[in-house]
Amino acid sequence: MLEEDENGPEVGSKPADLNRDARGRWRKGHCPNPKGRPRKKRFKNYSPSDVQHFANTQVELMVNGQPETLDRRAALLNKIFESAMKGRVSQQRYLMGLFEKKDAELAELRHQYERFLHEWVLDNPNFKNFDDSLSHEQQLILLKLGATLNHYYPGQFTAFLGIEESEEDVG
């Protein structure tokens, strides 16, 4: 209720509220919202296949002045690269983090490859060749590691595994 005199309510007066003090703040121990702030509504859970479908959808866009068809993942990476090269520091930091992560993964792969090679081949006195001395699973592990590393370091890991590059691949 408003305080009234014979001329009506006073100017600047506030409604009387028993739960508030003289300055209009809530009294100690009184909570006007006992359940607290409502939780944010979350987006529906998307399945990984939805995200994968979105990332792999083809889009048409201009890259270096030329129209190209790329999937959304490649388009987004291209945009990040362009933005970083134009000087956007946040994008440069993001890319450097990705580069460092990839370098660490490659160093770990190289370490695994060399460890397996030493254990199964070099430290094995009975080693004759890959087909006779290594199990099928061991051969697959070495070939997979060698092929992955050869992708990033061409020619360094294939000769030992018997995968020779043809002159057509090189030239």
Side-chain angles (χ1 to χ4, degrees):
M1 274 177 86
L2 296 176
E3 297 176 21
E4 295 185 17
D5 62 0
E6 57 191 22
N7 297 331
E10 285 184 30
V11 176
S13 66
K14 298 177 184 173
D17 189 346
L18 301 176
N19 296 321
R20 294 186 181 258
D21 64 9
R23 293 191 217 161
R25 293 184 288 186
W26 294 109
R27 292 192 186 279
K28 212 170 200 172
H30 174 76
C31 181
N33 188 3
K35 292 183 180 179
R37 178 181 292 209
R39 292 182 181 263
K40 283 184 176 180
K41 291 184 180 180
R42 293 188 169 257
F43 292 110
K44 293 180 182 178
N45 290 336
Y46 293 106
S47 72
S49 63
D50 293 340
V51 175
Q52 193 68 24
H53 174 73
F54 178 80
N56 293 330
T57 304
Q58 299 290 312
V59 292
E60 288 259 339
L61 55 118
M62 299 294 278
V63 177
N64 296 327
Q66 301 293 325
E68 285 194 35
T69 303
L70 301 170
D71 63 13
R72 285 191 171 120
R73 179 184 310 226
L76 182 60
L77 278 174
N78 189 38
K79 191 67 174 172
I80 291 171
F81 292 144
E82 285 179 9
S83 180
M85 294 308 292
K86 288 181 180 175
R88 188 163 180 199
V89 176
S90 62
Q91 301 296 352
Q92 293 168 351
R93 286 183 184 153
Y94 175 74
L95 287 175
M96 283 306 296
L98 287 181
F99 297 156
E100 289 172 358
K101 182 179 176 184
K102 187 52 126 180
D103 289 345
E105 288 173 5
L106 286 174
E108 177 61 28
L109 282 177
R110 198 171 191 154
H111 175 74
Q112 281 180 351
Y113 178 81
E114 291 170 356
R115 190 185 75 217
F116 289 148
L117 205 56
H118 278 280
E119 287 176 9
W120 296 338
V121 178
L122 300 177
D123 294 340
N124 184 357
N126 299 327
F127 180 79
K128 295 176 188 170
N129 60 32
F130 282 103
D131 295 334
D132 297 337
S133 302
L134 298 177
S135 72
H136 183 67
E137 183 180 327
Q138 291 170 330
Q139 290 176 24
L140 286 177
I141 290 172
L142 271 177
L143 285 172
K144 181 181 173 187
L145 288 172
T148 302
L149 289 169
N150 189 56
H151 175 75
Y152 293 101
Y153 308 105
Q156 293 183 23
F157 295 92
T158 54
F160 185 77
L161 295 175
I163 304 171
E164 298 295 332
E165 288 185 12
S166 65
E167 291 180 20
E168 297 170 2
D169 294 341
V170 176

Short mmCIF file of all heavy atoms in Angstrom, two decimals, residues 113 117 121 130 134 139 141-147 150 157-164:
data_model
loop_
_atom_site.label_atom_id
_atom_site.label_comp_id
_atom_site.label_asym_id
_atom_site.label_seq_id
_atom_site.Cartn_x
_atom_site.Cartn_y
_atom_site.Cartn_z
N TYR A 113 56.32 -46.67 -33.93
CA TYR A 113 56.87 -47.36 -35.09
C TYR A 113 58.28 -47.86 -34.79
O TYR A 113 58.61 -49.03 -35.02
CB TYR A 113 56.87 -46.42 -36.29
CG TYR A 113 57.47 -47.00 -37.55
CD1 TYR A 113 56.71 -47.82 -38.36
CD2 TYR A 113 58.77 -46.70 -37.93
CE1 TYR A 113 57.25 -48.35 -39.53
CE2 TYR A 113 59.31 -47.22 -39.08
CZ TYR A 113 58.55 -48.04 -39.88
OH TYR A 113 59.08 -48.56 -41.03
N LEU A 117 59.47 -51.70 -34.36
CA LEU A 117 60.51 -52.15 -35.27
C LEU A 117 61.66 -52.78 -34.50
O LEU A 117 62.15 -53.85 -34.86
CB LEU A 117 61.00 -50.95 -36.10
CG LEU A 117 61.60 -51.22 -37.45
CD1 LEU A 117 60.65 -52.00 -38.32
CD2 LEU A 117 61.97 -49.91 -38.11
N VAL A 121 61.77 -56.69 -34.97
CA VAL A 121 62.68 -56.95 -36.08
C VAL A 121 64.14 -56.91 -35.64
O VAL A 121 64.84 -57.91 -35.72
CB VAL A 121 62.43 -55.95 -37.23
CG1 VAL A 121 63.40 -56.18 -38.37
CG2 VAL A 121 60.99 -56.05 -37.72
N PHE A 130 59.50 -60.30 -43.04
CA PHE A 130 58.23 -59.94 -42.41
C PHE A 130 57.22 -61.07 -42.44
O PHE A 130 56.50 -61.29 -41.50
CB PHE A 130 57.63 -58.70 -43.09
CG PHE A 130 58.29 -57.43 -42.66
CD1 PHE A 130 59.20 -56.79 -43.47
CD2 PHE A 130 57.98 -56.87 -41.43
CE1 PHE A 130 59.79 -55.62 -43.06
CE2 PHE A 130 58.58 -55.70 -41.01
CZ PHE A 130 59.49 -55.08 -41.83
N LEU A 134 56.86 -62.26 -38.37
CA LEU A 134 55.85 -61.46 -37.70
C LEU A 134 54.45 -62.05 -37.90
O LEU A 134 54.14 -62.58 -38.96
CB LEU A 134 55.84 -60.03 -38.24
CG LEU A 134 57.12 -59.23 -38.06
CD1 LEU A 134 56.98 -57.86 -38.71
CD2 LEU A 134 57.48 -59.08 -36.60
N GLN A 139 52.29 -57.39 -38.54
CA GLN A 139 52.53 -56.85 -39.88
C GLN A 139 51.58 -55.69 -40.17
O GLN A 139 51.99 -54.66 -40.70
CB GLN A 139 52.35 -57.94 -40.93
CG GLN A 139 53.42 -58.99 -40.93
CD GLN A 139 53.12 -60.08 -41.94
OE1 GLN A 139 52.40 -59.86 -42.91
NE2 GLN A 139 53.69 -61.26 -41.71
N ILE A 141 50.07 -53.71 -38.00
CA ILE A 141 50.41 -52.54 -37.18
C ILE A 141 51.58 -51.78 -37.81
O ILE A 141 51.55 -50.56 -37.95
CB ILE A 141 50.73 -52.97 -35.73
CG1 ILE A 141 49.45 -53.42 -35.03
CG2 ILE A 141 51.37 -51.81 -34.95
CD1 ILE A 141 49.69 -54.05 -33.67
N LEU A 142 52.63 -52.52 -38.19
CA LEU A 142 53.79 -51.86 -38.80
C LEU A 142 53.43 -51.20 -40.12
O LEU A 142 53.87 -50.08 -40.40
CB LEU A 142 54.92 -52.87 -39.00
CG LEU A 142 55.88 -53.03 -37.83
CD1 LEU A 142 56.91 -54.10 -38.14
CD2 LEU A 142 56.57 -51.74 -37.49
N LEU A 143 52.65 -51.88 -40.95
CA LEU A 143 52.27 -51.30 -42.23
C LEU A 143 51.41 -50.05 -42.05
O LEU A 143 51.59 -49.06 -42.75
CB LEU A 143 51.53 -52.32 -43.09
CG LEU A 143 52.40 -53.40 -43.71
CD1 LEU A 143 51.56 -54.47 -44.36
CD2 LEU A 143 53.35 -52.78 -44.72
N LYS A 144 50.49 -50.09 -41.09
CA LYS A 144 49.63 -48.94 -40.83
C LYS A 144 50.46 -47.75 -40.35
O LYS A 144 50.31 -46.64 -40.84
CB LYS A 144 48.57 -49.30 -39.80
CG LYS A 144 47.62 -48.18 -39.48
CD LYS A 144 46.61 -48.60 -38.44
CE LYS A 144 45.77 -47.43 -38.01
NZ LYS A 144 44.90 -47.77 -36.89
N LEU A 145 51.32 -48.00 -39.37
CA LEU A 145 52.17 -46.91 -38.86
C LEU A 145 53.08 -46.39 -39.96
O LEU A 145 53.25 -45.17 -40.11
CB LEU A 145 52.99 -47.40 -37.67
CG LEU A 145 52.23 -47.63 -36.37
CD1 LEU A 145 53.14 -48.30 -35.34
CD2 LEU A 145 51.69 -46.34 -35.82
N GLY A 146 53.69 -47.30 -40.72
CA GLY A 146 54.58 -46.89 -41.81
C GLY A 146 53.87 -46.08 -42.87
O GLY A 146 54.38 -45.07 -43.36
N ALA A 147 52.65 -46.51 -43.24
CA ALA A 147 51.90 -45.78 -44.27
C ALA A 147 51.51 -44.39 -43.78
O ALA A 147 51.58 -43.41 -44.52
CB ALA A 147 50.66 -46.58 -44.67
N ASN A 150 54.62 -42.31 -43.67
CA ASN A 150 55.08 -42.03 -45.03
C ASN A 150 54.26 -40.92 -45.67
O ASN A 150 54.76 -40.17 -46.50
CB ASN A 150 55.02 -43.28 -45.90
CG ASN A 150 55.70 -43.05 -47.22
OD1 ASN A 150 56.87 -42.68 -47.25
ND2 ASN A 150 54.98 -43.25 -48.30
N PHE A 157 59.71 -44.06 -44.68
CA PHE A 157 59.25 -45.24 -43.95
C PHE A 157 58.79 -46.38 -44.85
O PHE A 157 58.44 -47.42 -44.35
CB PHE A 157 58.09 -44.84 -43.02
CG PHE A 157 58.53 -43.91 -41.94
CD1 PHE A 157 58.44 -42.54 -42.12
CD2 PHE A 157 59.06 -44.39 -40.77
CE1 PHE A 157 58.86 -41.67 -41.13
CE2 PHE A 157 59.48 -43.54 -39.78
CZ PHE A 157 59.39 -42.17 -39.96
N THR A 158 58.80 -46.21 -46.17
CA THR A 158 58.25 -47.25 -47.03
C THR A 158 59.29 -48.26 -47.48
O THR A 158 58.97 -49.42 -47.66
CB THR A 158 57.59 -46.64 -48.26
OG1 THR A 158 58.54 -45.80 -48.90
CG2 THR A 158 56.36 -45.88 -47.89
N ALA A 159 60.52 -47.85 -47.69
CA ALA A 159 61.52 -48.75 -48.26
C ALA A 159 61.77 -49.95 -47.34
O ALA A 159 61.88 -51.08 -47.79
CB ALA A 159 62.83 -48.01 -48.50
N PHE A 160 61.79 -49.70 -46.04
CA PHE A 160 62.05 -50.78 -45.10
C PHE A 160 60.91 -51.79 -45.09
O PHE A 160 61.11 -52.98 -44.91
CB PHE A 160 62.26 -50.22 -43.70
CG PHE A 160 62.64 -51.27 -42.70
CD1 PHE A 160 63.93 -51.77 -42.67
CD2 PHE A 160 61.70 -51.79 -41.84
CE1 PHE A 160 64.28 -52.76 -41.77
CE2 PHE A 160 62.05 -52.78 -40.94
CZ PHE A 160 63.35 -53.27 -40.90
N LEU A 161 59.69 -51.32 -45.30
CA LEU A 161 58.53 -52.20 -45.27
C LEU A 161 58.28 -52.88 -46.60
O LEU A 161 57.34 -53.64 -46.74
CB LEU A 161 57.28 -51.40 -44.87
CG LEU A 161 57.30 -50.83 -43.46
CD1 LEU A 161 56.08 -49.97 -43.24
CD2 LEU A 161 57.35 -51.93 -42.44
N GLY A 162 59.12 -52.61 -47.59
CA GLY A 162 58.94 -53.27 -48.88
C GLY A 162 57.95 -52.56 -49.77
O GLY A 162 57.56 -53.09 -50.80
N ILE A 163 57.54 -51.36 -49.41
CA ILE A 163 56.64 -50.58 -50.26
C ILE A 163 57.51 -49.62 -51.04
O ILE A 163 58.07 -48.69 -50.49
CB ILE A 163 55.61 -49.79 -49.42
CG1 ILE A 163 54.83 -50.72 -48.51
CG2 ILE A 163 54.69 -48.99 -50.33
CD1 ILE A 163 53.97 -49.99 -47.50
N GLU A 164 57.67 -49.87 -52.29
CA GLU A 164 58.51 -49.01 -53.12
C GLU A 164 57.64 -48.02 -53.87
O GLU A 164 56.58 -48.37 -54.38
CB GLU A 164 59.30 -49.86 -54.14
CG GLU A 164 60.25 -50.86 -53.49
CD GLU A 164 61.37 -50.21 -52.71
OE1 GLU A 164 61.77 -49.07 -53.07
OE2 GLU A 164 61.85 -50.82 -51.76
#
